[in-house]
Amino acid sequence: MNFDPVFQQHLDALKSEGRYRHFADLERIAGKFPQALWRKSVDAAPKQVTIWCSNDYLGMGQHPKVLLAMQEALARYGAGAGGTRNISGTTHAHIELEMELAALHGKQAALLFTSGYISNQASLATLGKLLPGLIIFSDADNHNSLIEGIRQSGAEKRIFRHNDVAHLAELLESAPVNAPKLVVFESVYSMDGDIAPLAEIVDLAERYGAMTYLDEVHAVGMYGATGAGVAEELGLSHRLTIIEGTLGKAFGVMGGYITGSMAIVDAIRSSAAGFIFTTSLPPVLCAGALASIRHLRSSSVEREQQRERVAQVKAILTKAGMPIMKNKSHIVPLMVGDAACCRAITDYLIEEHSIYVQPINYPTVPRGTERIRITPLPMHTAEDINKLLNALLSGKHLAHGARVAAA
Ligand code: PLP
């Protein structure tokens, strides 16, 4: 049987809605970030473009200390880890990095995973299995990795409206007093860039005897005096049960982790399928992440420069009347409200102005709220910012017909 026509039909539907995913063929130029080479097609001549949508928020993926640590680790350890953590895949680099992560968040222990996605999915799935009768309270805008982990946990799930503390209180109040409870939420929500009311959620969780699981993926490296995230900035780290993060965004490398008490981390280490049955992170990545974390624990220069750029971009686009969604974070969502218009604008920007931003469409965001998600970096210059503004202004007509979502 040939099922290709079925798959093709699915692809055609995505294309007709303007939601088909085109990956930009990029070659980051080491030492020149956010400059990269872009090829329109595999045999096209490369063209230099400026990236405006990277999650390597601080450019640590090209920091000399990180590159040196990785080069040294490659020479010392070789390429891959060569096994699961249990079967020859635990190197000294893994142990050192876990100790650093625990210290970063002020927790007793940390556990590494191959990505932030896997850390959420594997940890939450395991918590539900380890705690019979667990009820999980989940923010409505939680990332897919959290949703999948909760689904696989088999635990009962109650969804509270996004960042709505009163709704969470209502749900906690109506749950059986003696049931184990876990509140799962994020600090910085990556698409709208809004920040959770952490203190109120932690207060509530304590009042109802619930544990907390905080995803700080878009905040680690970026917020707090040592880059431990929003919980650190608000002095709340010690009141959260589990803090989860990634090594792939502001830390510029790859991998994910959880931190918490010795008992909870050890229990997840001993039972989580997504941790146990997979080859561990290459030691080269661990060494790079360690260098990045150590640097950002003692240096705020990158965070400060990035904050300045974010303020400049927000101010200049707002002044020009661009529909920017307001928030207090480093993410600048430029609302378009239509998938095809979003695509037309981003195609125009890269082809005519050598500016790369990715259109963000359903299912990453709800239909009608399609957007261009801009992430200013410390390395963007005043000239880069002006070019971005002028390019957006000259491509404004392409948004014609889009329902610009409320900014
Ligand atoms: N959690 C959130 C909120 C995310 O936005 C992402 C990825 O974008 C992840 C987890 C997954 O992290 P990683 O990219 O390290 O797999």
Side-chain angles (χ1 to χ4, degrees):
M1 276 295 280
N2 179 7
F3 287 99
D4 277 358
V6 181
F7 300 126
Q8 196 54 52
Q9 224 175 12
H10 171 70
L11 294 169
D12 291 345
L14 290 176
K15 283 180 187 166
S16 73
E17 281 183 53
R19 292 201 294 118
Y20 181 73
R21 287 172 190 243
H22 300 269
F23 295 156
D25 175 343
L26 296 166
E27 226 179 280
R28 302 208 303 174
I29 307 169
K32 282 195 174 177
F33 188 61
Q35 300 302 315
L37 296 177
W38 170 69
R39 286 177 179 80
K40 189 172 180 179
S41 60
V42 72
D43 43 13
K47 168 177 155 178
Q48 190 162 323
V49 298
T50 306
I51 301 179
W52 272 100
C53 58
S54 178
N55 282 345
D56 183 357
Y57 294 127
L58 302 175
M60 292 304 290
Q62 311 218 333
H63 194 285
K65 283 188 188 171
V66 175
L67 301 192
L68 183 64
M70 294 181 82
Q71 280 152 1
E72 284 176 357
L74 185 65
R76 183 171 160 198
Y77 291 97
T84 62
R85 285 294 294 271
N86 193 37
I87 307 176
S88 91
T90 296
T91 67
H92 189 60
H94 293 84
I95 293 169
E96 261 190 306
L97 178 54
E98 285 177 340
M99 286 171 65
E100 187 76 22
L101 287 165
L104 172 70
H105 292 287
K107 298 288 183 197
Q108 289 174 348
L111 189 67
L112 282 170
F113 295 81
T114 46
S115 73
Y117 190 101
I118 302 292
S119 63
N120 281 336
Q121 188 190 31
S123 303
L124 288 166
T126 305
L127 286 173
K129 299 204 169 83
L130 293 176
L131 285 165
L134 178 69
I135 303 176
I136 297 183
F137 300 82
S138 174
D139 186 284
D141 281 7
N142 272 343
H143 187 258
N144 177 274
S145 54
L146 298 166
I147 296 169
E148 279 301 312
I150 294 169
R151 193 179 60 76
Q152 286 169 28
S153 76
E156 189 183 325
K157 172 166 87 166
R158 305 200 179 163
I159 298 173
F160 59 97
R161 286 188 294 274
H162 177 53
N163 279 348
D164 187 335
V165 181
H167 191 210
L168 174 61
E170 223 176 88
L171 296 180
L172 284 164
E173 179 65 33
S174 65
V177 176
N178 293 325
K181 302 176 187 73
L182 175 68
V183 181
V184 178
F185 64 120
E186 300 175 25
S187 54
V188 178
Y189 286 84
S190 71
M191 290 301 146
D192 288 357
D194 55 338
I195 299 178
L198 249 69
E200 285 119 301
I201 292 180
V202 169
D203 281 350
L204 260 186
E206 285 176 354
R207 189 175 324 143
Y208 288 93
M211 296 177 294
T212 42
Y213 183 108
L214 177 64
D215 175 320
E216 290 251 43
V217 159
H218 292 276
V220 288
M222 306 281 295
Y223 296 82
T226 68
V230 178
E232 181 191 33
E233 190 163 286
L234 300 175
L236 293 169
S237 301
H238 62 291
R239 293 173 63 195
L240 286 144
T241 315
I242 292 182
I243 297 177
E244 181 271 346
T246 184
L247 304 171
K249 300 190 194 293
F251 292 133
V253 191
M254 190 184 175
Y257 64 89
I258 55 160
T259 62
S261 71
M262 198 70 85
I264 205 165
V265 170
D266 206 13
I268 291 172
R269 183 186 72 88
S270 307
S271 315
F275 171 80
I276 295 173
F277 299 107
T278 189
T279 300
S280 65
L281 278 178
V284 173
L285 297 186
C286 297
L290 182 65
S292 180
I293 295 164
R294 283 191 176 154
H295 177 77
L296 290 176
R297 282 184 81 183
S298 60
S299 167
S300 290
V301 176
E302 294 78 7
R303 282 187 282 276
E304 282 160 14
Q305 283 179 352
Q306 202 254 5
R307 236 154 258 189
E308 253 174 54
R309 295 298 170 278
V310 171
Q312 285 163 356
V313 170
K314 283 182 175 175
I316 208 168
L317 295 186
T318 304
K319 192 164 167 227
M322 296 274 165
I324 301 291
M325 185 183 270
K326 287 198 172 60
N327 63 46
K328 291 197 166 79
S329 77
H330 59 284
I331 292 160
V332 186
L334 175 61
M335 305 310 284
V336 178
D338 179 88
C341 289
C342 234
R343 170 98 259 148
I345 294 169
T346 57
D347 283 351
Y348 168 78
L349 290 177
I350 200 161
E351 282 173 25
E352 303 297 325
H353 295 274
S354 303
I355 286 172
Y356 169 55
V357 276
Q358 189 64 26
I360 308 283
N361 294 334
Y362 176 84
T364 308
V365 295
R367 281 195 171 89
T369 72
E370 290 83 358
R371 66 199 65 183
I372 293 167
R373 178 180 179 272
I374 298 169
T375 52
L377 308 169
M379 297 83 187
H380 281 126
T381 61
E383 194 190 338
D384 289 332
I385 298 175
N386 276 329
K387 272 193 190 163
L388 174 70
L389 172 70
N390 291 331
L392 285 170
L393 285 172
S394 70
K396 222 173 163 183
H397 60 284
L398 296 166
H400 188 70
R403 292 168 293 132
V404 176

